[in-house]
Amino acid sequence: MRILRAATVTATVTALAAVAAGCGGGSGFGGGGSDDSPTSLTYWASNQGPNVEADKKILGPELKKFEQRTGIKVELEVIPWPELLNRILAATTSGQGPDVLNIGNTWSASLQATGALLSWDRKNFAAIGGRDRFLAPALEATGAAGKDPAAVPLYSLAYALYYNKRMFQEAGISKPPATWDELVADGKRISRDGKWGLGAEGGQLTNNIHQAFALGKQHGADFFDSAGRPTFTSDGAVAAVKQYIDFMAKDKIIAPGNAEYGQNQSLRDFATGRTAMVLWQAAATTFSADGMQPGDWGVAPVPVPSGTPGTGRQINSMLAGINIAVFKNTRNLRGAQKFVRFMTSDTEQRLLNKAYGSIPPVKAAQRDPAFSRKDTKVLRETLTRSAAPLPQIAGESQFETSVGTAIKDLFADAAAGHPVTTASVKARLAKAQQQMAQ
Amino acid sequence: MRGRTRLRRVGLPYLLLLPALLLELLVHLVPMVIGIVMSFKELTQLQIAHWGAAPWKALGNYRVTVDFDAPAGATLLHSFAVTCAFSVLTVGLCWVLGTAAAIFLQENFRGRGLLRALFLTPYALPVYAAVITWAFLFQRDNGLVNHVLHDQLGLTGDRPFWLLGDNSFVALLVVSVWKTWPFAFLVVMAALQSIPKDLYEAAALDGAGIVRQIRRITLPSLRPINQVLLLVLFLWSFNDFNTPYVLFGKAAPEAADLLSIHIYQSSFVTWNFGTGSAMSVLLLLFLLVVTAGYLLATSRGRKSADV
């Protein structure tokens, strides 16, 4: 009996450890893809719409269209964001991936480094109509500088400032802020009686990174040097992070409760009139879903230190979006290329980007009037003029986690009323930098 | 003929065990061995596609992991301490609650069935749905917890944060105990059924009160079950991943940074699969030692009690 019990326990421990220690196995790839199964493709789409079902509804008819034209059947799987990166990594390890897939454009260089994705050299680009069809800034988020891209831009996005017109009117503010000083001043006028000037998602690591990166650019900081080494404790980086945290800690225009937001609660606060401004990528559909009328909110470019958004120190957004990539060991290379060509065709670009509220990275498709509405126009102009891609380095994922967590912790300090100083910001960022070096 | 019968009699049990053994090997041992191999390699996303050919790092990953002066080791040590405290408290509270509830429900009264069902609800709910609900309850501004503690009872001066800072440990503990204690309740309740009623009747005749009956009859009879129960509860809470992950996401606050999350972060967020594997192997060794020590101690205790 005792032996049996010991055996049971040992088995349990082994099982638990196996779960903790185990990672899938695999032997890697054969190489450059083939055309063994020319009549079918698997496609992993990222979850772009409000939910997976909505994505299937949007993509389904398009995939049918593709099948009718080419005779190639596309098996679609829509993968929620939190799972996508790990699914891709598992596929990379096992070599058992889809033929075509979506990746977040900030992951391009990381995934390029795994060697699992097809390189888009001149020949491959020619198969989808050439590199020139795409917006130049969008191409910057397709892989490390100086290398052939590992993916092709599909949906592009940028940050904008969304503001509640009625709350502005009530506070006697006539136009949205164009500089950070104006934003703080406006925010202070609004922040009273349970209402707040600006919303934030303090617990959302990626959002923290996006905000800090754009502010960092304005302070002349890149978070990495030209050799790809982290420079999180540079004066500019520290100043940028401190400026963002100070909106809560010093200026008190962000509600302390926002420190724990991580599931887009700040958008709900905006829609219900508790917060007057949010910095967000394409939020229009969410606001409508939360009961706001399109006339209730306005859209303006994200503020800059002074003047108007532009290049260099006037960058006011990270370059966000989704890329489409081909798995190197696809068994239908030609079909995969045809599919990428289809998805990046002018017609599909217009249609899909309209459905998702994003901006087409294909120049010709941008001429559609849908991308000249007040909100899409701001996003489009930001993309072309004043958005920069996050550092295209292999360790981008680590950067998001380590610095994103540092900012989350700083927000927690600010919310709890602990002082946030240049030294405390620098200490948190120094810890993040040490974690990168592990 | 006789030899064949004997062979069949001796061989048959092994033959019957074979499929389970093979599956066990495939599902548990193979990944574990791969995990151990990985812990000796330099493995990031750069090598993951050809991980078999990744460069050897010998004990390098372990050295980084246990260098408690460097950030990686220091945070791991902190995480280990948090996990130990969390596990001991979770196991203790679950056991006390489960045993108390099981003894309470031994009496036959109206509504007993309903209460039993009610107590078991947390056990039957999908973990994700339950924990995400708790995350909403613990929200500072809109959560029910602060609404009751602050608005209604006035127990706290200001609305505290539960999912940030030091309080996050309390939040994690509450959810974990809430989720786990019904299991202890279920096991103890089942064990109580097997204690002969006449023991209690005889004790009552001799004038023993309820407290004395619990101390002299119930608890000693539960001992063998408790030994297993406590161990299982400990292993569960020590390895719990779902609760902190759903409650805090990828980056838990320092006060609630359990080892499982820590290892996940190292392996799947920062893509240091080598160090992640090394941490897992150390965790495995620790749990093996604790389990072996525990089994040895309890079996020795029982032997001396038997004498």
Side-chain angles (χ1 to χ4, degrees):
Chain A
M1 191 59 199
R2 204 164 73 223
I3 292 175
L4 190 69
R5 191 154 55 225
T8 317
V9 170
T10 316
T12 314
V13 177
T14 317
L16 292 168
V19 172
C23 289
S27 56
F29 315 103
S34 69
D35 292 308
D36 300 343
S37 52
T39 56
S40 71
L41 279 176
T42 46
Y43 177 44
W44 284 1
S46 55
N47 179 197
Q48 295 296 120
N51 54 51
V52 169
E53 286 312 311
D55 277 303
K56 285 187 189 160
K57 221 177 251 170
I58 291 170
L59 291 171
E62 305 314 305
L63 302 183
K64 267 266 142 49
K65 216 192 281 174
F66 178 71
E67 187 181 348
Q68 278 161 4
R69 260 184 231 169
T70 59
I72 300 173
K73 189 170 167 41
V74 181
E75 297 279 349
L76 170 72
E77 189 178 352
V78 181
I79 302 178
W81 264 109
E83 288 169 36
L84 186 58
L85 190 56
N86 277 345
R87 286 283 299 273
I88 296 174
L89 224 51
T92 305
T93 318
S94 64
Q96 304 292 316
D99 298 294
V100 184
L101 70 161
N102 283 174
I103 64 173
N105 71 356
T106 60
W107 308 335
S108 298
S110 285
L111 292 174
Q112 184 177 41
T114 68
L117 302 180
L118 182 80
S119 267
W120 288 86
D121 55 17
R122 183 182 290 272
K123 203 176 98 232
N124 284 333
F125 253 123
I128 60 165
R131 215 185 143 108
D132 298 337
R133 296 180 57 240
F134 296 90
L135 206 65
L139 282 172
E140 283 179 43
T142 54
K147 283 189 186 166
D148 284 328
V152 178
L154 187 63
Y155 316 125
S156 288
L157 278 170
Y159 276 82
L161 174 78
Y162 292 82
Y163 62 98
N164 183 316
K165 283 184 183 166
R166 202 170 42 107
M167 288 175 79
F168 265 53
Q169 231 167 32
E170 281 167 6
I173 305 163
S174 56
K175 62 176 181 50
T179 67
W180 291 116
D181 288 343
E182 286 172 21
L183 179 131
V184 170
D186 290 349
K188 283 180 177 169
R189 285 172 76 167
I190 295 164
S191 301
R192 62 190 63 196
D193 307 329
K195 294 197 165 84
W196 293 87
L198 184 65
E201 293 281 325
Q204 212 180 83
L205 308 190
T206 42
N207 188 286
N208 285 344
I209 284 297
H210 296 167
Q211 310 288 358
F213 172 74
L215 286 170
K217 280 281 182 192
Q218 297 178 358
H219 285 273
D222 264 331
F223 289 90
F224 290 90
D225 65 14
S226 53
R229 281 184 302 258
T231 55
F232 302 166
T233 52
S234 72
D235 291 347
V238 173
V241 171
K242 182 158 188 297
Q243 186 186 350
Y244 189 47
I245 304 293
D246 270 348
F247 291 146
M248 179 188 286
K250 197 179 99 207
D251 309 321
K252 306 209 185 298
I253 59 171
I254 298 179
N258 289 23
E260 65 180 7
Y261 282 7
Q263 270 131 4
N264 302 351
Q265 293 98 320
S266 62
L267 296 187
R268 169 139 289 199
D269 282 356
F270 182 87
T272 51
R274 265 185 287 185
T275 310
M277 295 179 273
V278 281
L279 303 165
W280 209 263
Q281 324 170 19
T285 40
T286 315
F287 294 152
S288 295
D290 274 339
M292 276 186 116
Q293 298 300 318
D296 292 347
W297 74 82
V299 189
V302 174
V304 287
S306 65
T308 50
T311 47
R313 289 199 177 211
Q314 297 296 80
I315 293 283
N316 65 345
S317 173
M318 54 86 69
L319 195 137
I322 305 295
N323 292 347
I324 188 166
V326 173
F327 229 59
K328 209 187 234 172
N329 63 347
T330 171
R331 293 177 61 201
N332 186 1
L333 183 62
R334 280 175 64 90
Q337 280 175 338
K338 270 187 204 163
F339 184 59
V340 175
R341 183 182 184 125
F342 171 77
M343 291 292 279
T344 54
S345 68
D346 294 356
T347 321
E348 290 305 310
Q349 279 287 299
R350 272 198 294 268
L351 210 144
L352 292 172
N353 281 289
K354 249 189 256 180
Y356 288 130
S358 49
I359 307 292
V362 170
K363 289 183 222 163
Q366 283 194 358
R367 289 186 208 116
D368 190 286
F371 307 110
S372 293
R373 289 195 328 250
K374 53 179 184 174
D375 56 336
T376 45
K377 189 169 171 231
V378 171
L379 296 175
R380 186 164 57 81
E381 287 180 351
T382 303
L383 270 174
T384 41
R385 260 211 306 262
S386 57
L390 283 182
Q392 289 286 316
I393 51 158
E396 200 277 333
S397 174
Q398 288 97 314
F399 166 57
E400 277 189 21
T401 318
S402 59
V403 176
T405 305
I407 296 173
K408 178 184 172 176
D409 291 342
L410 284 163
F411 265 127
D413 287 347
H418 299 317
V420 174
T421 61
T422 302
S424 74
V425 172
K426 197 167 185 169
R428 292 268 185 200
L429 287 173
K431 192 179 151 200
Q433 182 157 326
Q434 283 172 327
Q435 279 167 343
M436 283 289 289
Q438 265 174 42
Chain B
M1 187 66 193
R2 243 172 117 194
R4 244 166 98 188
T5 321
R6 229 186 104 183
L7 187 74
R8 195 179 293 162
R9 202 163 18 164
V10 176
L12 190 66
Y14 291 101
L15 201 71
L16 290 176
L17 275 176
L18 199 67
L21 209 68
L22 279 178
L23 270 178
E24 171 72 21
L25 204 73
L26 205 73
V27 176
H28 290 141
L29 283 181
V30 171
M32 197 170 75
V33 170
I34 293 174
I36 293 173
V37 172
M38 279 181 161
S39 72
F40 294 106
K41 291 195 162 213
E42 184 176 337
L43 207 59
T44 62
Q45 79 273 27
L46 303 178
Q47 298 94 7
I48 194 74
H50 308 278
W51 66 267
W56 278 97
K57 216 177 164 186
L59 288 175
N61 289 324
Y62 289 92
R63 223 170 285 139
V64 170
T65 309
V66 298
D67 180 2
F68 299 134
D69 292 328
T75 48
L76 184 73
L77 191 66
H78 168 81
S79 174
F80 178 72
V82 170
T83 311
C84 286
F86 167 78
S87 304
V88 169
L89 284 170
T90 303
V91 173
L93 289 170
C94 285
W95 183 79
V96 169
L97 275 175
T99 309
I103 291 175
F104 173 63
L105 286 191
Q106 277 303 100
E107 299 293 323
N108 212 344
F109 57 89
R110 268 184 83 168
R112 182 168 80 150
L114 187 75
L115 265 187
R116 269 190 192 174
L118 202 67
F119 284 177
L120 287 175
T121 320
Y123 193 54
L125 282 177
V127 179
Y128 186 86
V131 180
I132 201 88
T133 309
W134 274 104
F136 288 130
L137 296 182
F138 274 124
Q139 272 187 13
R140 177 182 183 260
D141 292 336
N142 314 312
L144 187 72
V145 173
N146 274 352
H147 183 64
V148 172
L149 289 184
H150 180 76
D151 303 350
Q152 296 190 323
L153 301 176
L155 289 177
T156 52
D158 196 12
R159 287 168 169 268
F161 280 101
W162 293 102
L163 300 173
L164 295 176
D166 292 344
N167 285 345
S168 55
F169 184 80
V170 180
L172 181 64
L173 192 65
V174 167
V175 180
S176 173
V177 170
W178 174 85
K179 178 169 80 76
T180 322
W181 82 269
F183 178 72
F185 165 66
L186 193 69
V187 170
V188 173
M189 199 164 62
L192 286 178
Q193 313 284 344
S194 65
I195 304 175
K197 288 273 176 295
D198 33 339
L199 278 182
Y200 290 103
E201 283 161 13
L205 273 180
D206 289 342
I210 181 86
V211 176
R212 210 177 159 92
Q213 285 180 23
I214 290 175
R215 265 187 51 205
R216 295 289 168 146
I217 303 171
T218 312
L219 289 181
S221 312
L222 287 180
R223 219 183 129 158
I225 279 294
N226 274 339
Q227 282 170 356
V228 181
L229 176 64
L230 290 180
L231 184 66
V232 170
L233 286 181
F234 176 77
L235 291 176
W236 277 1
S237 53
F238 211 89
N239 278 304
D240 189 11
F241 175 77
N242 293 329
T243 317
Y245 187 77
V246 179
L247 215 48
F248 306 118
K250 279 191 229 171
E254 274 174 34
D257 187 24
L258 293 189
L259 274 177
S260 53
I261 284 282
H262 200 82
I263 293 174
Y264 169 83
Q265 244 195 17
S266 185
S267 303
F268 297 104
V269 180
T270 58
W271 295 356
N272 278 317
F273 301 99
T275 28
S277 301
M279 288 178 195
S280 303
V281 172
L282 290 177
L283 174 66
L284 166 70
L285 288 177
F286 172 77
L287 288 180
L288 278 177
V289 168
V290 168
T291 307
Y294 178 84
L295 286 178
L296 214 67
T298 50
S299 67
R300 192 175 294 155
R302 195 164 62 236
K303 237 182 244 162
S304 59
D306 288 346
V307 170

